[in-house]
Amino acid sequence: MRKWILILLLILFGIGSLIGYDGYRLQHTLTKASDRSRLLPAKQTNPDTTDQAWMKRQDVKTIQLKTTGEARVGRYLTGSPASDKTVVLLADDVRLGSSETEPLIRFYQEQLGYNVFVPDRRGQGGSKGPLNYGWLDRLDLIEWTNQLIEETGTRHIIYHGLGVGGATALLAAGEPTVPKQVKVVIAEGAYARLDDWLQSLAKANLLYPAGPSLAVASILNKVEQDFFYGDVSVTRQTSRIMVPTLFIQGTEDKIVPARMVYELYQAKPGIKQLYPVRGAGHGMTYSENAGNYEKRLRLFVQPFVTTP
């Protein structure tokens, strides 16, 4: 009898060790942008485009967030002519498909004449720290906004986020400390709840039930970054947003389930609009139909950022 109990205990210990190790691999993948686990898609490479060539010709300033000792870096492009309107453009995680921001930077600066600021979220580009999928980035975004207002005198600010950047925009806009100069939020391909999204990624990309491993990863993240993955609810933050918000979602998005945009849309009080882009995958909503996309953006944004 004791022999069978010992065998059972050894089996349980082995299973627990495997779950613990897999949870560590998942956490390392999520926060350090490693490839230890296949939870996230492989990093995508995109060919150079005319928009990227245009971007290289612009007088782009690199600025650093002043309120933190750890590097937080962003790029700033002044409108032409000088403008009191600024778009804060938040890129997606580069591993989740196309995250090119150049076409949108060019649209806002060249066609609408707005200033454009593109901050690097923690763990991306020149900004240090572990990836956190918008939860801690939301606080940096508010600090960035205050710094832009102080240094440039901008009076109208738009948050426009793609993918994880879209979730970041919604998370920040739902904070009570968001500056009053933020007039519009645009979120495309944003997830609704982080734990739910990670479960959907695991179901799509892993060959085994990853629930226990994700629970371990969440505990490790609590130790490292002081929040569980279940704490991050973009839906809850969206229910607190008071400014007009446009939700954009590709109907063929294989990374962020389309159902999530309806959860976000229903949670948002006040002025809002839903723009589903038929046939578009994740990060492809602009390129799928650029003309209609630009028209929808103009019609939604401009009434709320008109200078008296």
Side-chain angles (χ1 to χ4, degrees):
M1 184 67 178
R2 291 181 178 178
K3 178 181 178 180
W4 287 110
I5 292 175
L6 179 60
I7 291 173
L8 180 60
L9 289 175
L10 289 173
I11 291 172
L12 292 175
F13 177 77
I15 293 173
S17 298
L18 287 173
I19 291 173
Y21 176 67
D22 192 48
Y24 167 77
R25 289 198 314 154
L26 291 175
Q27 172 66 358
H28 203 274
T29 298
L30 289 169
T31 61
K32 303 297 192 302
S34 78
D35 58 357
R36 285 176 175 264
S37 169
R38 296 183 180 274
L39 177 66
L40 298 175
K43 183 176 180 179
Q44 301 292 310
T45 56
N46 299 295
D48 287 342
T49 65
T50 56
D51 293 313
Q52 289 173 325
W54 173 87
M55 189 70 185
K56 291 176 182 178
R57 298 192 299 268
Q58 306 309 306
D59 182 19
V60 178
K61 299 177 182 178
T62 299
I63 58 178
Q64 185 162 337
L65 188 61
K66 295 178 179 178
T67 55
T68 176
E70 196 171 38
R72 303 278 187 271
V73 177
R75 296 170 291 159
Y76 182 81
L77 180 61
T78 305
S80 180
S83 175
D84 63 352
K85 303 173 180 65
T86 301
V87 175
V88 179
L89 190 58
L90 298 143
D92 198 358
D93 188 309
V94 294
R95 298 170 294 173
L96 300 180
S98 173
S99 62
E100 299 301 329
T101 55
E102 286 84 359
L104 280 171
I105 295 173
R106 186 174 186 179
F107 166 71
Y108 278 117
Q109 198 268 355
E110 196 172 59
Q111 296 193 41
L112 297 185
Y114 297 171
N115 312 310
V116 183
F117 177 64
V118 185
D120 292 337
R121 290 180 294 105
R122 300 186 191 192
Q124 305 255 340
S127 294
K128 303 300 183 181
L131 300 170
N132 60 88
Y133 299 88
W135 184 241
L136 301 180
D137 297 319
R138 82 193 194 284
L139 304 177
D140 294 339
L141 178 52
I142 291 173
E143 294 296 333
W144 274 123
T145 305
N146 287 323
Q147 184 168 319
L148 287 172
I149 294 167
E150 179 183 349
E151 294 183 352
T152 70
T154 187
R155 298 173 57 193
H156 306 280
I157 293 177
I158 300 164
Y159 286 167
H160 187 151
L162 315 172
V164 175
T168 305
L170 295 169
L171 288 167
E175 286 294 309
T177 55
V178 66
K180 64 180 181 180
Q181 287 85 349
V182 176
K183 304 295 178 64
V184 176
V185 176
I186 301 166
E188 48 185 291
Y191 69 84
R193 286 167 287 124
L194 184 54
D195 56 351
D196 182 25
W197 180 47
L198 295 180
Q199 288 285 357
S200 73
L201 287 172
K203 185 176 181 180
N205 298 315
L206 301 179
L207 300 177
Y208 58 92
S213 299
L214 283 171
V216 171
S218 182
I219 293 170
L220 293 174
N221 194 71
K222 176 66 175 179
V223 174
E224 183 177 1
Q225 301 197 79
D226 198 29
F227 69 90
F228 294 108
Y229 289 136
D231 294 337
V232 183
S233 174
V234 184
T235 303
R236 181 180 62 244
Q237 291 289 102
T238 301
S239 70
R240 301 167 179 166
I241 297 176
M242 294 294 105
V243 298
T245 303
L246 174 62
F247 299 92
I248 305 174
Q249 179 71 38
T251 59
E252 298 301 318
D253 194 327
K254 304 301 182 185
I255 293 177
V256 176
R259 63 176 171 81
M260 292 191 175
V261 75
Y262 296 102
E263 180 177 329
L264 294 170
Y265 180 77
Q266 290 173 2
K268 168 68 176 74
I271 300 173
K272 57 186 175 181
Q273 192 174 112
L274 177 62
Y275 174 29
V277 182
R278 296 186 184 279
H282 189 78
M284 306 302 292
T285 49
Y286 188 16
S287 60
E288 184 66 27
N289 189 339
N292 190 56
Y293 184 104
E294 292 174 0
K295 179 181 177 181
R296 296 290 292 263
L297 245 62
R298 288 176 187 271
L299 290 173
F300 187 81
V301 169
Q302 288 184 323
F304 304 109
V305 296
T306 301
T307 302

